Amino acid sequence: MDKLTVLREQFEQNNIDGFLITNSFNRRYITGFTGTTGVAIISKECAKFITDFRYVEQAVNQVKGFQIIENRSTLQEVAKQAEKMGIERLGFEQEDLNYKQYKDLNNLVQKCIPVSGIIEGLRAVKTDNEVKKINTAANISDKAFEHILNFIRPGITEMEINHELEHHMRKNGATSSSFDIIIASGIRSALPHGVASNKKVEKGDMLTLDFGAYYEGYCSDMTRTIAVGEPNDDLKQIYSIVYDALEIGINSIKAGSFCQAIDKKVRDFITEKGFGKQFRHGTGHAIGLEVHESPYFSVKSEDVLKENMVMTVEPGIYLPGIGGVRIEDDILVKKNGSKVLTHANKELIIL
């Protein structure tokens, strides 16, 4: 079943007879358009794509099954087309429009209805082609990690490691990194999102590398923590705990599992080891067109895993003033289990 048909099946339960797509990731998912400017408006019978003169030719080549309309006054054109398409209740992505855009749209269209998560829900279960792209992105990340182990040495800066990882991933097929690379060494490794700084790596440092490749629109997301020189006993201890927690999370994944239950298994294990207060973020999240997608492994999640979702598992323990450890893999949800997509060594590596 094509994406437009599946999307239209969501109309009735959301009390709409048309839908406006403004979010760039959702727009790409439904239309295939990779440009930066354009909106899609879809009714039960037809679909139109509005963009300005810069992207008309690109839209004609990429956006199949839509009528392409050139217009720079986007919201005015949306209103005009909604009337032509007979749309009386136009759904819009409430998380994407700002207040001014909403007011302008509401003044132009007969009835605007805020809607949340329609396309995100469709995006959660990946097609085989999407899984293939994510797997390729994961392979690029794996190779980059192997490469960077030969590059890291005492005296090198976190920023130099960042640049080398980015360069290697691009050289091996990535468009870019899939997010701002996190490189955190020494006591900075206790920062869960310690983006690269000019700090130099020192002997005895734990070094956290959280990075991913962006390949044909899809993301990978992998974390490895290594030691540069012999780490102290506290850091070795938390590494072992995080490693075991990761395995517990991965082994709990299969279609039908509750996201909250998986988070609880991982969190309870770390708590039993005495470090529950040092693990304060979620256990993982979905990846795809974006590096953070729904569903999430968290204490508040009500989601259930479905076959062909792609999730991360990323437990971590962070000791302020000492250092931290996080290890993360990308996991494909299978009917009766899971498949790990990131294969880089996750045993404690001491350089």
Side-chain angles (χ1 to χ4, degrees):
M1 191 179 296
D2 67 83
K3 292 175 181 177
L4 280 178
T5 300
V6 177
L7 176 60
R8 286 170 172 143
E9 289 178 348
Q10 311 295 313
F11 282 11
E12 185 174 354
Q13 68 190 67
N14 286 278
N15 193 32
I16 60 176
D17 55 13
F19 190 52
L20 175 66
I21 302 173
T22 54
N23 176 276
S24 61
F25 295 104
N26 291 340
R27 179 183 66 209
R28 178 168 184 164
Y29 181 78
I30 293 295
T31 70
F33 182 70
T34 61
T36 59
T37 302
V39 301
I41 182 169
I42 299 159
S43 70
K44 293 178 181 178
E45 289 80 29
C46 62
K48 299 184 180 183
F49 188 83
I50 303 166
T51 190
D52 67 39
F53 73 96
R54 297 170 298 168
Y55 294 101
V56 169
E57 185 176 352
Q58 180 179 350
V60 168
N61 292 327
Q62 290 184 330
V63 184
K64 306 303 179 184
F66 286 71
Q67 179 186 346
I68 309 300
I69 297 169
E70 178 185 337
N71 197 296
R72 297 190 68 156
S73 301
T74 305
L75 292 183
Q76 287 83 355
E77 188 64 31
V78 166
K80 177 182 174 182
Q81 294 303 324
E83 184 176 0
K84 283 186 176 182
M85 296 161 78
I87 297 173
E88 296 181 354
R89 301 182 307 280
L90 179 66
F92 68 92
E93 298 175 292
Q94 65 179 25
E95 291 89 356
D96 196 65
L97 287 191
N98 62 39
Y99 183 62
K100 181 182 184 306
Q101 290 170 328
Y102 163 70
K103 284 180 62 179
D104 291 345
L105 184 65
N106 201 43
N107 288 332
L108 292 167
V109 176
Q110 185 171 346
K111 190 172 182 63
C112 294
I113 298 176
V115 175
S116 179
I118 288 185
I119 298 177
E120 288 85 351
L122 303 181
R123 285 167 48 190
V125 176
K126 271 57 180 180
T127 64
D128 289 344
N129 187 47
E130 288 178 301
V131 171
K132 184 177 179 180
K133 290 178 180 179
I134 295 170
N135 191 53
T136 299
N139 289 340
I140 293 171
S141 299
D142 285 337
K143 291 175 182 176
F145 180 70
E146 292 175 12
H147 168 77
I148 209 68
L149 292 177
N150 295 314
F151 182 82
I152 295 169
R153 61 188 183 278
I156 201 166
T157 68
E158 294 171 352
M159 192 60 73
E160 287 174 307
I161 298 169
N162 179 321
H163 293 332
E164 186 67 18
L165 274 174
E166 176 91 25
H167 175 70
H168 191 275
M169 289 190 292
R170 287 176 180 263
K171 191 169 66 174
N172 284 276
T175 304
S176 64
S177 57
S178 52
F179 55 94
D180 288 341
I181 295 172
I182 293 169
I183 307 292
S185 61
I187 61 172
R188 294 191 73 252
S189 62
L191 302 174
H193 277 190
V195 294
S197 72
N198 288 320
K199 177 190 174 301
K200 293 182 178 180
V201 175
E202 301 174 42
K203 284 187 177 181
D205 279 357
M206 295 301 272
L207 175 61
T208 298
L209 306 98
D210 185 346
F211 62 100
Y214 185 61
Y215 174 79
E216 293 189 3
Y218 287 83
C219 302
S220 62
D221 183 7
M222 180 177 79
T223 307
R224 294 293 185 265
T225 301
I226 65 172
V228 181
E230 193 72 22
N232 66 41
D233 290 341
D234 288 340
L235 294 171
K236 286 183 178 179
Q237 179 192 18
I238 65 171
Y239 193 98
S240 177
I241 294 168
V242 170
Y243 181 95
D244 290 342
L246 175 68
E247 294 303 303
I248 289 170
I250 292 172
N251 292 333
S252 301
I253 290 177
K254 66 177 180 179
S257 296
F258 286 88
C259 291
Q260 185 182 94
I262 292 172
D263 179 84
K264 188 175 187 304
K265 282 185 180 180
V266 173
R267 197 169 301 282
D268 285 353
F269 174 77
I270 292 175
T271 299
E272 288 166 7
K273 297 296 183 180
F275 293 96
K277 292 182 179 180
Q278 287 74 42
F279 175 39
R280 301 181 65 181
H281 56 71
T283 296
H285 54 85
I287 57 173
L289 288 168
E290 296 179 86
V291 75
H292 291 99
E293 295 187 351
S294 184
Y296 290 80
F297 292 133
S298 76
V299 295
K300 296 181 179 180
S301 176
E302 297 179 356
D303 293 307
V304 177
L305 293 179
K306 296 179 182 178
E307 188 173 10
N308 266 37
M309 287 180 168
V310 182
M311 307 293 299
T312 71
V313 178
E314 51 177 305
I317 296 174
Y318 311 95
L319 308 178
I322 298 174
V325 172
R326 181 168 66 254
I327 316 173
E328 175 185 24
D329 276 326
D330 298 343
I331 314 295
L332 174 64
V333 180
K334 307 288 283 184
K335 183 177 181 180
N336 296 309
S338 63
K339 179 182 178 182
V340 179
L341 302 182
T342 39
H343 301 292
N345 186 1
K346 56 194 174 191
E347 300 285 344
L348 177 56
I349 295 171
I350 302 175
L351 297 181

